[in-house]
Amino acid sequence: MKHTVATFVALLYSSLALSTYAQTKADSLAIRQAALDYIESQHRPDTAQMSRCLHPRLVKRTFWKYSKQPSREYLRESHADEMILLAGNYNTKGDKFLANPRKEVVLLDVSTQTASVKLYADEWIDYMHLVKLNDEWKIVNVLWQFNNPEKHR
């Protein structure tokens, strides 16, 4: 009985703590919009849209394989300035995405100032960390991979 009461009190306390620090609807919408800005700015080249969602110190990472030695892997990085350039140049011919590209955003965890998001795109998955600074949600980290890891060459 003593164990059951202690468990109940612990669960009650943790649920109160979670509700105290849970996101607002506005935060959820802003986090989702930042993830959508990230992918949509690549769908239709838009550097301003990419700039809007990224923190200037963003780092985007993935694993990569040497094409001549596929058993050797390394961590490949991009930064905010490169992502902004990519947004302006990647899909200029309009041939990099399907007519209705997949852009599914899943909020994995949201606190008052930080969030983790999973973005499903057509050919890859992005895991993102966001931070709320000056009432704006910005992407600070991205870890991604192609759905087909053999494309990482």
Side-chain angles (χ1 to χ4, degrees):
M1 178 70 172
K2 198 185 260 188
H3 181 67
T4 306
V5 171
T7 302
F8 175 75
V9 169
L11 287 172
L12 180 62
Y13 178 74
S14 65
S15 69
L16 289 174
L18 287 174
S19 66
T20 304
Y21 297 107
Q23 77 272 17
T24 66
K25 183 172 183 162
D27 282 330
S28 296
L29 291 172
I31 292 163
R32 190 173 304 280
Q33 187 60 55
L36 289 173
D37 282 345
Y38 169 86
I39 191 66
E40 290 174 353
S41 68
Q42 296 173 64
H43 292 161
R44 55 178 182 279
D46 189 336
T47 58
Q49 188 176 21
M50 181 66 86
S51 295
R52 181 171 62 228
C53 70
L54 300 183
H55 186 277
R57 296 189 60 189
L58 167 117
V59 179
K60 178 178 176 176
R61 296 180 176 97
T62 191
F63 70 93
W64 213 252
K65 297 178 181 189
Y66 290 96
S67 55
K68 293 181 181 178
Q69 295 177 321
S71 62
R72 291 190 61 206
E73 297 177 331
Y74 65 97
L75 195 61
R76 184 172 167 183
E77 291 186 354
S78 302
H79 298 90
D81 56 345
E82 295 166 294
M83 292 305 299
I84 293 165
L85 288 171
L86 175 84
N89 296 305
Y90 181 64
N91 195 32
T92 54
K93 293 180 183 176
D95 60 352
K96 301 289 186 188
F97 297 95
L98 300 173
N100 292 310
R102 183 177 184 193
K103 50 184 180 182
E104 180 184 343
V105 177
V106 177
L107 304 184
L108 300 175
D109 185 62
V110 178
S111 296
T112 56
Q113 301 295 123
T114 60
S116 293
V117 171
K118 185 174 185 178
L119 170 68
Y120 294 94
D122 293 316
E123 294 195 28
W124 64 85
I125 297 169
D126 291 283
Y127 292 95
M128 302 176 178
H129 291 135
L130 292 89
V131 64
K132 185 179 183 182
L133 296 171
N134 303 312
D135 284 332
E136 291 184 324
W137 286 95
K138 300 288 185 176
I139 302 167
V140 294
N141 293 311
V142 177
L143 179 64
W144 73 278
Q145 83 163 61
F146 284 112
N147 293 329
N148 177 0
E150 292 304 311
K151 288 185 145 190
H152 286 268
R153 297 181 192 274

